[in-house]
Amino acid sequence: MNLFDYQDKEYKQFHQKIVPNIDSDTIIGIRCPVLKKLAKEVESKETFMDLLPHNYYEENMIHAYILNSINSYETCIQSLNQFLPYVDNWAVCDAIRPSIFSKHKEELLIEIKKWITSNHEYTIRFGIEMLMKFYLDESFDSNQHEMILNIQYDTYYVNMMKAWYFCEALIKQWDSTIFVLENNLLDTFTHNKTIQKCIDSCRIDTKNKAYLKTLRKKDKDVK
């Protein structure tokens, strides 16, 4: 498989701007629908996933899509933990969403607790996202907010995911979440990003949006 056969140079230029923290020479420029198709066509998926680190961003995306299709929970976790240390940007991180996880929430929570205490930025981000995706509905426990609040890893992509998590939590579990903002439990950046995401959402009513606006903090405010 020669990935350069699928290159879209205009898309490469666009994508360099939205994933600015990786070397542009590692971006070929292949659109996601094509990458998903290529992931299905990889002849030996196990061999491909063992070839770490990959040289190109698109190879990492293909790896993510292959992970999503694994139908054995144990195999998926093993392959995922092998891959996560090599994830170096938000786009690949957020592309990893194994469908098998929905059937193994009890076991998955154990892994999430490990991921969010990692010293690797995108492993932490991934852990937060999995908590957001699988545990804000019928599996919700208000104690899980403490798991996020206890994360001390202060980087842009971790904090943005924390803001996304608390926005989704406010949408789905308002009464159990609003205390986080009312008691200034987040740093100013994450606090205000959470509010902005809520205001931009069509899933929060006008009354609650108005209240959230009153909770905004000035940059000089401290946690």
Side-chain angles (χ1 to χ4, degrees):
M1 179 189 300
N2 184 359
L3 293 179
F4 283 89
D5 289 343
Y6 304 91
Q7 184 179 48
D8 182 331
K9 292 184 178 180
E10 289 186 2
Y11 185 69
K12 171 183 169 71
Q13 293 178 349
F14 162 75
H15 215 70
Q16 289 173 185
K17 296 176 182 178
I18 66 172
V19 191
N21 65 305
I22 62 175
D23 185 348
S24 61
D25 289 338
T26 66
I27 300 176
I28 298 171
I30 305 175
R31 295 179 182 274
C32 287
V34 177
L35 291 172
K36 289 179 180 179
K37 181 175 181 292
L38 293 174
K40 295 178 182 179
E41 296 174 355
V42 174
E43 291 185 5
S44 177
K45 294 177 172 56
E46 293 80 6
T47 299
F48 177 85
M49 289 192 294
D50 283 337
L51 296 175
L52 292 170
H54 298 303
N55 294 319
Y56 293 101
Y57 162 83
E58 284 80 5
E59 291 176 308
N60 284 324
M61 288 295 286
I62 289 172
H63 196 134
Y65 294 138
I66 291 174
L67 282 169
N68 292 348
S69 67
I70 296 176
N71 56 20
S72 162
Y73 176 77
E74 291 76 14
T75 300
C76 186
I77 288 293
Q78 182 179 357
S79 298
L80 178 58
N81 283 330
Q82 181 182 14
F83 181 53
L84 280 174
Y86 297 96
V87 175
D88 61 359
N89 64 87
W90 69 266
V92 171
C93 180
D94 295 5
I96 308 170
R97 293 196 173 192
S99 57
I100 192 65
F101 282 0
S102 63
K103 300 178 181 179
H104 296 269
K105 291 184 181 179
E106 185 175 348
E107 306 100 300
L108 179 61
L109 191 58
I110 296 172
E111 297 298 324
I112 288 173
K113 290 177 180 179
K114 296 176 185 177
W115 292 330
I116 64 174
T117 55
S118 166
N119 60 2
H120 178 245
E121 180 173 11
Y122 295 99
T123 299
I124 298 170
R125 181 181 171 96
F126 177 74
I128 299 170
E129 184 179 8
M130 292 302 98
L131 197 63
M132 176 183 72
K133 179 173 175 59
F134 293 107
Y135 298 89
L136 287 179
D137 295 301
E138 68 276 2
S139 299
F140 176 71
D141 180 343
S142 60
N143 291 328
Q144 72 194 39
H145 289 346
E146 292 298 323
M147 294 167 57
I148 306 301
L149 293 171
N150 287 334
I151 294 172
Q152 300 298 314
Y153 204 92
D154 185 18
T155 65
Y156 177 82
Y157 289 107
V158 167
N159 289 338
M160 285 296 289
M161 184 55 73
K162 287 167 67 175
W164 189 4
Y165 169 88
F166 281 113
C167 172
E168 288 293 314
L170 285 163
I171 291 168
K172 297 180 177 182
Q173 305 289 344
W174 175 275
D175 292 339
S176 297
T177 306
I178 190 61
F179 79 93
V180 172
L181 299 181
E182 290 175 331
N183 291 280
N184 296 320
L185 300 182
L186 295 168
D187 62 274
T188 298
F189 173 86
T190 309
H191 177 105
N192 288 340
K193 282 294 182 182
T194 299
I195 292 172
Q196 189 58 52
K197 284 179 176 292
C198 290
I199 291 170
D200 292 341
S201 173
C202 61
R203 294 181 291 160
I204 291 184
D205 62 36
T206 303
K207 179 181 178 181
N208 284 343
K209 286 183 180 182
Y211 177 59
L212 287 170
K213 289 178 181 178
T214 69
L215 298 178
R216 280 178 170 148
K217 295 199 289 186
K218 297 179 181 179
D219 290 340
K220 67 179 181 180
D221 293 341
V222 296
K223 183 174 175 179

